Structure formats: C-alpha cells, structure tokens
Amino acid sequence: DRLYSPPTNAYVIVFGGLMISLLGFVDDIKGVKAKHKLFFQIALSVFVWYNGFDISAVSTPFGVLQLGYFGLPITILWIVGIINAFNLIDGMDGLSSGVSFFACITIMTLSIFNGYIFVAAVSAALAGAVVGFLIYNFNPAKIFMGDAGSMFIGYILAVISLKNQSKGHTVVSLLVPIIAMGLPILDTTLAFLRRYLRKQSVFAADSQHIHHMLLSRGWNQKKVVLVLYAISVLFTILAMLLIFQKDTQ
C-alpha cells in the first residue's frame, strides 16, 4: 500500500492541520471567543470523523463493542479534548513541546508494532519538528508556540492516534495514546472539574494548573518543566511496557 493510501489520510493531516493552525493564529493576533473556537473545533472533528479517523468500536472483556452512532460524539470529544489539553498545558517555556515529543515517540512505536507506517511517519516528523522548536523554546525562550502551535500539535496527535486505534480496536491501541498524553489529559480534566465545582465557566482561565501549583512551591520554571518532563517519561515507559507486553502475547 502507498504511504498515504487512502488519499484522505493526507487530506485530514494537511487540511485539518492548516485549519486549526489558522484558528490559533487568529486567536493569537486578535482573539477568538471560546464558544467560536469550540464550534470550529467540533466542525473540524466532524470532518475528521467523516474521513475515517474515528472511534467506531472498543474492545471489552466480552468482545468488540460497536459504537454505531455514539462513535461520532466520542470521536468529537476525543479530538476537541486533546486539542485543548495541549493548548492549556502550554503555560510555560518548553512545556507543551517537550511533553508532545514523548507522546509522539510513544505513538510512533505503537504504529510500528501495528504495521501502520503512515502514523509512524507523521509521528516521527512531528517529533523532529518539536525537538527543533524546543531548542529555542526552552527557558529562557526565544520563540513561542502560541495557540497556533499548541492546537496544531494537539490536533495532529489526536487524529493519528485515532487512525492507529482503528486498525484493530484493541485495548492496547486505545489505552496507549491515553497514557502517552496522560499529563495534558490529567491537567485538563482537573481544570474542567475544578471550574465546574466552583460554578465557573469551564472556559475561564485560571492559575491553578499543575505547573502553576509547582511554581507556587517556589520552584523556578526550569525545575518545574524538568519535573513534568520526568512525569511524561514515566507515562511513556508505562505505555511502552503495554506495547511490548502486547507484542509478546
């Protein structure tokens, strides 16, 4: 098979990546209301789902469960959630780009074991891009990612992990991306729960993310980022063990 077969693989990556970057660029320059960003992300997620990047079934102890019409909202939730997870974690120099590197390496490894070269190639390319960016983005940063960069990374990781999962709907293919992106997913989940319990808008910004909490302990930015890198490495190791365990069974 060709690397980008079917052609929709390339359409989803290139067109979708450009669209989410354009949204982020406009938000960086002029600002975009949260509800408008959400609507745009949902529309883009539907485009992704329509082109075959979806969660259509999940593996259970009783066999494979076909999601049917529920696959669309679950796919939307996944894509929108991951986009915003990497956007929210981009609060310190080098944090989002470093965390995304470990996620890329993990998804690339799973893709190689699944024999899906398309996802492996995209993961490797994104990993190389964020490392090159990180050289200038680590504290003290000379360049900044902005919403255009963080949402692009979140979008690409979300959609390629979906394509990987659709190869077999196995527990491993579903769990590995979740574990690989465990830090931004955890931070975003806590942020939404915190705002909901306080009866605040879930889109309202605050200064109580994980990196903010570590800064409040008197740590400097470099120490906080390195500690969060270490946590990401632990998530990566756990995901890798899951992949290799699958391969030996």
Side-chain angles (χ1 to χ4, degrees):
D1 292 342
R2 293 180 301 152
L3 177 61
Y4 292 104
S5 179
T8 50
N9 285 350
Y11 299 158
V12 169
I13 295 298
V14 176
F15 175 77
L18 286 173
M19 290 299 99
I20 198 67
S21 294
L22 179 61
L23 172 65
F25 179 75
V26 174
D27 192 30
D28 288 331
I29 300 299
K30 301 177 66 175
V32 179
K33 291 183 179 180
K35 62 180 181 181
H36 294 158
K37 285 194 289 186
L38 180 61
F39 177 80
F40 189 96
Q41 292 167 0
I42 291 174
L44 190 57
S45 300
V46 173
F47 163 77
V48 171
W49 169 84
Y50 180 79
N51 284 283
F53 289 67
D54 60 358
I55 302 175
S56 59
V58 293
S59 179
T60 72
F62 308 102
V64 176
L65 174 64
Q66 299 295 330
L67 296 175
Y69 293 111
F70 291 104
L72 175 57
I74 292 174
T75 300
I76 292 173
L77 180 63
W78 171 259
I79 297 173
V80 172
I82 296 300
I83 289 173
N84 287 289
F86 278 91
N87 188 26
L88 289 174
I89 205 173
D90 184 33
M92 299 182 65
D93 295 347
L95 181 55
S96 186
S97 51
V99 170
S100 63
F101 169 76
F102 297 112
C104 287
I105 295 301
T106 307
I107 295 174
M108 181 184 71
T109 304
L110 176 64
S111 306
I112 291 172
F113 274 84
N114 280 344
Y116 206 176
I117 305 304
F118 163 70
V119 175
V122 175
S123 302
L126 184 58
V130 295
V131 167
F133 181 83
L134 183 59
I135 295 173
Y136 303 98
N137 182 235
F138 195 75
N139 184 268
K142 298 179 179 65
I143 56 177
F144 301 93
M145 184 174 294
D147 285 357
S150 62
M151 288 200 291
F152 172 81
I153 288 174
Y155 171 81
I156 297 297
L157 289 173
V159 298
I160 61 176
S161 60
L162 283 178
K163 199 64 175 179
N164 210 1
Q165 188 267 343
S166 68
K167 290 287 285 185
H169 312 299
T170 64
V171 173
V172 171
S173 294
L174 189 61
L175 283 180
V176 165
I178 295 174
I179 296 172
M181 296 180 275
L183 181 60
I185 289 174
L186 175 63
D187 185 56
T188 301
T189 302
L190 291 175
F192 274 71
L193 286 175
R194 180 174 63 248
R195 294 164 189 174
Y196 175 78
L197 292 174
R198 292 178 177 176
K199 297 182 179 180
Q200 298 175 330
S201 169
V202 294
F203 300 107
D206 61 32
S207 299
Q208 293 186 303
H209 293 281
I210 294 174
H211 51 277
H212 292 135
M213 300 300 288
L214 294 177
L215 280 173
S216 69
R217 297 174 63 90
W219 295 3
N220 60 39
Q221 285 199 31
K222 285 185 178 179
K223 184 176 182 179
V224 171
V225 169
L226 290 174
V227 167
L228 294 178
Y229 282 179
I231 294 173
S232 294
V233 169
L234 290 177
F235 278 121
T236 299
I237 292 172
L238 180 59
M240 291 290 188
L241 290 174
L242 197 59
I243 295 170
F244 292 131
Q245 183 183 25
K246 171 203 173 188
D247 187 59
T248 56
Q249 288 179 347

